[in-house]
Amino acid sequence: MAESGKIVAIRGAVIDITFAPEKLPEIDEALSLQGESVTLLAEVQAHLDRHTVRAIALQTTSGLRRGDEAVRLGQPLNVPVGDAVLGRLMDVAGNAGDGRGEFPASLPRRPIHRQPPALVTQKGVSDLFVTGIKVIDLLTPIARGGKAAMFGGAGVGKTVLVMELIHAMVKSYRGISVFAGVGERSREGHEMLLDMTSSGVLARTALVFGQMNEPPGARWRVPMTALAIAEYFRDERHQNVLLLMDNVFRFVQAGAEVSGLLGRLPSRVGYQPTLASEVAALQERIASVGDASITAIEAVYVPADDFTDPAVTTIAAHVDSMVVLSRDMAAEGMYPAVDPIASSSVLLDPLVVGSDHAEVAMDVRRTIERYRELQDVISLLGVEELGSDDRRIVERARRLQRFLTQPFAVTEAFTGTAGRSVTLADTIAGCRAILAGACDDWNESSLYMVGTLDEAREKEEAMRRTDVGSPAKVHQ
């Protein structure tokens, strides 16, 4: 018979429950709260004394009252896994949310809490996860079985970049995808579902959402639900898994809300004192084990564009590739607005990517960095006052920045320009040619929003033909 207790206090999402001393549930154990008109799930977060626990509700507590029964489930929250969840949308508790009926009771289930794989069982990552996005493949290569994060403030293109990565990997990626929408708006979730359906990727993807209007407990545990599904396919099916999370900052934010509700004293900038351990509990489970891996691509909101924010620095400590999105570049129309200097990857090493790739990437960075150093001089005195070497560097840096822009397939409906996917070899060849001066006499606009350098060359030739044939040129 299930052991039960009684609810003695309800304060929003926080519920205090009394049990017999020897029947006290463990931390992270799930409870079923059974009111007269509502049944919902909660998770134990603290032992207040020998008789009382404090739990966080994972669903809204409306309709619950003191004296209602709380039944111990004897284990952490567990969710359905396996092939039946592919192509489906679910909430934090594994309930279907796409209107296509509930999951059958016979499905295997897995707990959302689990220890990360032992270090001795993990294998290193050195294989590139080629995306077809020039600036990422060249300057911040992503590791297959690694963790990549897109850092950026509001409105600089994090979600668009994640969507494009999903689209780019439909053809090249043969594994399973799991998408965790953490604190997503309803509109974003709906758009994601429609885009995945139209691109044909939904059949091999499981979607887990904890929306912005849900209680903090639900938003806090959604990434764990997605991880439980990903780990099942990695460990028991030996399949590679692509885990996409948008937005990991909302996970931290939900944890801060939960911490405040539990009465803990805040730490730096008002964040929870357990920030580092909570982020580690999530990130350390993302790993390659045996012949299968989980590759994570995470969007991270940067509050007020402050990259020293404790949440941002804590998440950054766990990732292999940091893709930093720049508001200044977005304002100039350089999309994707990836900052080539602030972005980094542990894979950008000659022993991993090869000396050719590493050398070109370093030269691109060096050229753009020198251009930025000279910008104050340019804005005060003009380009004409620079020496010939510096002027040449500035011109090549501007062309490199434009060449690293790229039209996306997911924005085609808004821009009218078809998306481009570029091979790594073409990206390296194009950047090397610009660095060598092959494009010094080209219009900068010829390199803007193109795929390969050959496409830019055709654009330049077309512009020259137009200039030659124009009445002004003929008159001259």
Side-chain angles (χ1 to χ4, degrees):
M1 183 178 174
E3 296 152 356
S4 63
K6 294 291 181 187
I7 296 173
V8 293
I10 304 170
R11 292 179 297 279
V14 178
I15 301 153
D16 291 350
I17 306 154
T18 59
F19 288 87
E22 67 279 6
K23 307 293 186 185
L24 214 60
E26 297 177 4
I27 301 293
D28 288 338
E29 185 177 322
L31 305 173
S32 175
L33 309 181
Q34 300 177 351
E36 189 176 320
S37 59
V38 64
T39 300
L40 59 113
L41 290 164
E43 190 178 88
V44 176
Q45 285 302 315
H47 290 170
L48 300 183
D49 55 41
R50 293 179 62 245
H51 300 273
T52 315
V53 299
R54 182 163 285 171
I56 287 288
L58 301 181
Q59 290 133 338
T60 180
T61 55
S62 185
L64 211 60
R65 61 187 181 183
R66 285 184 297 176
D68 285 341
E69 188 178 27
V71 178
R72 284 186 64 179
L73 299 183
Q75 60 183 350
L77 177 68
N78 60 67
V79 294
V81 294
D83 291 337
V85 303
L86 299 178
R88 301 295 301 272
L89 184 149
M90 67 187 82
D91 65 10
V92 65
N95 301 314
D98 52 11
R100 290 165 50 193
E102 287 300 325
F103 296 110
S106 59
L107 270 188
R109 302 180 78 89
R110 293 293 180 272
I112 66 168
H113 294 291
R114 186 180 173 190
Q115 289 299 312
L119 194 59
V120 292
T121 67
Q122 296 183 28
K123 64 174 185 178
V125 291
S126 59
D127 294 340
L128 293 191
F129 204 116
V130 180
T131 65
I133 299 171
K134 289 182 287 190
V135 67
I136 290 179
D137 288 342
L138 179 70
L139 299 176
T140 62
I142 296 172
R144 189 180 296 274
K147 296 183 278 281
M150 321 288 171
F151 293 89
V156 294
K158 295 182 302 298
T159 300
V160 171
L161 193 53
V162 170
M163 288 290 298
E164 182 66 15
L165 285 168
I166 294 169
H167 191 276
M169 291 166 188
V170 173
K171 293 177 183 175
S172 62
Y173 191 70
R174 293 286 177 264
I176 301 298
S177 299
V178 181
F179 181 86
V182 188
E184 289 278 279
R185 300 171 184 88
S186 299
R187 170 187 59 78
E188 290 173 333
H190 185 64
E191 287 176 1
M192 176 73 70
L193 191 59
L194 290 177
D195 287 341
M196 284 192 161
T197 304
S198 62
S199 65
V201 71
L202 185 64
R204 300 186 66 76
T205 304
L207 300 171
V208 189
F209 277 91
Q211 292 177 174
M212 204 174 271
N213 60 338
E214 293 189 48
R219 287 179 272 125
W220 192 38
R221 289 311 188 206
V222 156
M224 305 300 186
T225 300
L227 261 174
I229 296 168
E231 286 170 335
Y232 171 81
F233 284 107
R234 179 194 66 191
D235 298 339
E236 299 187 32
R237 295 294 187 83
H238 305 289
Q239 289 178 285
N240 290 327
V241 183
L242 177 64
L243 176 65
L244 302 133
M245 286 193 275
D246 188 9
N247 185 303
V248 182
F249 176 79
R250 303 291 177 206
F251 161 75
V252 173
Q253 197 175 39
E257 289 179 53
V258 168
S259 182
L261 289 168
L262 293 171
R264 295 178 187 146
L265 288 172
S267 182
R268 287 190 304 156
V269 200
Y271 286 109
Q272 61 271 44
T274 52
L275 171 64
S277 57
E278 285 176 14
V279 171
L282 173 70
Q283 301 286 357
E284 294 301 310
R285 288 168 64 182
I286 301 166
S288 297
V289 178
D291 57 352
S293 64
I294 297 177
T295 304
I297 294 173
E298 310 167 8
V300 183
Y301 167 67
V302 179
D305 291 342
D306 178 13
F307 285 87
T308 63
D309 186 89
V312 176
T313 55
T314 304
I315 295 166
H318 289 273
V319 299
D320 306 309
S321 303
M322 274 185 67
V323 181
V324 177
L325 298 173
S326 160
R327 189 169 301 282
D328 290 340
M329 293 190 68
E332 291 175 19
M334 301 295 166
Y335 289 107
V338 175
D339 188 326
I341 309 304
S343 302
S344 62
S345 172
V346 297
L347 269 75
L348 201 57
D349 183 298
L351 297 174
V352 178
V353 297
S355 57
D356 194 29
H357 181 169
E359 187 181 324
V360 170
M362 288 302 111
D363 286 346
V364 167
R365 276 218 177 104
R366 198 178 296 116
T367 303
I368 294 174
E369 194 163 16
R370 180 61 181 156
Y371 169 47
R372 289 188 179 178
E373 290 170 1
L374 294 167
Q375 276 183 324
D376 285 345
V377 176
I378 294 167
S379 59
L380 287 170
L381 303 175
V383 178
E384 295 76 17
E385 296 301 314
L386 297 176
S388 58
D389 288 346
D390 282 343
R391 198 179 312 152
R392 189 183 308 115
I393 287 171
V394 167
E395 289 169 355
R396 289 177 185 174
R398 288 176 61 85
R399 284 170 172 79
L400 282 168
Q401 284 186 333
R402 279 150 183 77
F403 179 64
L404 292 175
T405 62
Q406 190 169 341
F408 281 175
V410 294
T411 59
E412 188 174 336
F414 307 103
T415 62
T417 306
R420 304 285 195 278
S421 179
V422 184
T423 64
L424 180 57
D426 283 341
T427 300
I428 293 170
C431 289
R432 191 192 293 108
I434 294 169
L435 288 164
C439 310
D440 284 357
D441 60 341
W442 291 17
N443 287 301
E444 289 179 2
S445 57
S446 299
L447 294 155
Y448 180 67
M449 284 294 168
V450 295
T452 63
L453 196 66
D454 289 339
E455 187 183 341
R457 185 177 287 108
E458 290 171 11
K459 196 172 170 183
E460 172 69 14
E461 289 170 357
M463 289 174 71
R464 288 183 179 181
R465 284 195 299 270
T466 305
D467 286 348
V468 168
S470 66
K473 293 287 183 185
V474 171
H475 178 71
Q476 288 171 359

